[in-house]
Amino acid sequence: MKERVSLAPFTTFGVGGEARIFIEARTEEEIQEAITYARECNLQLYPLGAGSNLLVPDAGVDGVVLKIMLDDIAFENDGDDTLIIADAGARWEKIVDTASEHELFGIENLAGIPGTIGGASVQNIGAYGAELANTFEYADCINKTTGAHKRITRTEAAFAYRTSFFKTHREFIITRVTLRLSKHATPNITYPDLARVYEAGTPLRTPSEIIIAVRAIRAKKFPLSIEEGTAGSFFKNPVISRELADSLALRFPDLPLFPQEDGSVKISLAWLLDYALSLKGFSINKVRLYEKQPLIIVARTGATATEVSAFADEIAKRVFAATGIVIEREVETFGAK
Ligand code: EPU
């Protein structure tokens, strides 16, 4: 346990203040000890994974930050499927590679995403036509207010676009996640970027071939230099009514629309920022919208969380002025109760 630890190095954004108390947990017992400690000191407890979707306020976190370091990965056969059982702190990329070594399908489209499997479950990570929810079986959790164990199944996890039960019920700390993967070939390569690569002649038959292709697509957008921090897409793509989508499509005929099962329409915010608002590369001081993907906010060394947040608000204001859409952040403010 340490006091007054700067959290910036524990996040990919690289900005923000200190944790009042910082504890690293390598076992479930250490998580339980941290829960007891926080309760005795009457402090809030905030679990931290790889810090890849977080904005830490400059004022820091007035509580106990618990870095989840448990990272074992195990396999279990279940009929035709294979279950992968991973500790919450296991790196998502390691899980993707391990699944691929076993020639298991299900998460190959999600290659190249930073973070841990615990964070990936909270966030229901998604990319290239897949999301974590498709393979999630259950998560084992500890309730941080009572210390009790609870298993949350896929149905209970209530996954939706970049959200889950875990996001709305912060009292549960995920300790282990089980995914159901398949040995049978089910390549999912309809997402435009992947379809294009396939049509150009790249074989996309095995998890490993798809992983290589996805990482290559992502690598064109990254890496940023070491002087720059980011948490990936800062905003969610807006999900709007059919009527609003139709009226936007009249003004912006090329705006990519993704109809949802419930009749609503997801629209590409990157496109709006790029073509409707010409904000690619737009900057205020050390914060800017990334040139290669304007949904990404980049903070140069020396930027503050306050600047990042004010910049994001300015972008949201401009999107609202141009379209009437209230955009939501995907990146979370860390330490908020
Ligand atoms: N576009 C532009 N200009 C650009 C970049 C993109 O106009 O500079 C338009 C293009 O029309 C493109 C469309 O935006 O076809 C979509 O772009 P992209 O495929 O990069 O996807 P996205 O909708 O911006 C989402 C996820 C990403 C995920 C990608 C790929 C969200 C908020 N973001 O981005 O996830 O990797 O799809 O599947 O849903 C993340 O959540 O942090 C994240 C990176």
Side-chain angles (χ1 to χ4, degrees), residues 214-286:
V214 168
R215 286 193 180 137
I217 294 166
R218 298 187 79 101
K220 287 200 185 123
K221 300 179 192 168
F222 289 99
L224 304 169
S225 85
I226 194 135
E227 325 272 76
E228 298 175 320
T230 184
S233 296
F234 196 91
F235 299 102
K236 294 184 195 176
N237 281 315
V239 180
I240 60 176
S241 68
R242 181 83 245 178
E243 294 71 41
L244 183 53
D246 287 344
S247 74
L248 280 175
L250 286 176
R251 285 171 64 200
F252 310 113
D254 294 332
L255 172 67
L257 305 175
F258 305 93
Q260 305 294 292
E261 280 168 14
D262 63 2
S264 60
V265 181
K266 194 195 276 179
I267 59 167
S268 168
L269 182 56
W271 192 95
L272 280 178
L273 295 170
D274 191 353
Y275 295 101
L277 288 135
S278 301
L279 285 176
K280 232 172 171 173
F282 171 69
S283 70
I284 301 177
N285 298 325
K286 292 180 167 166

Side-chain angles (χ1 to χ4, degrees), residues 4 11 42 90 98 152 177 270 272 299:
R4 302 203 47 198
T11 71
N42 204 15
T98 314
I152 304 286
V177 177
L272 280 178

Side-chain angles (χ1 to χ4, degrees), residues 15 77 88 104 122 139 188 207 232 274 310 323:
V15 302
N77 285 325
L104 294 167
V122 176
N188 163 10
D274 191 353
T323 64

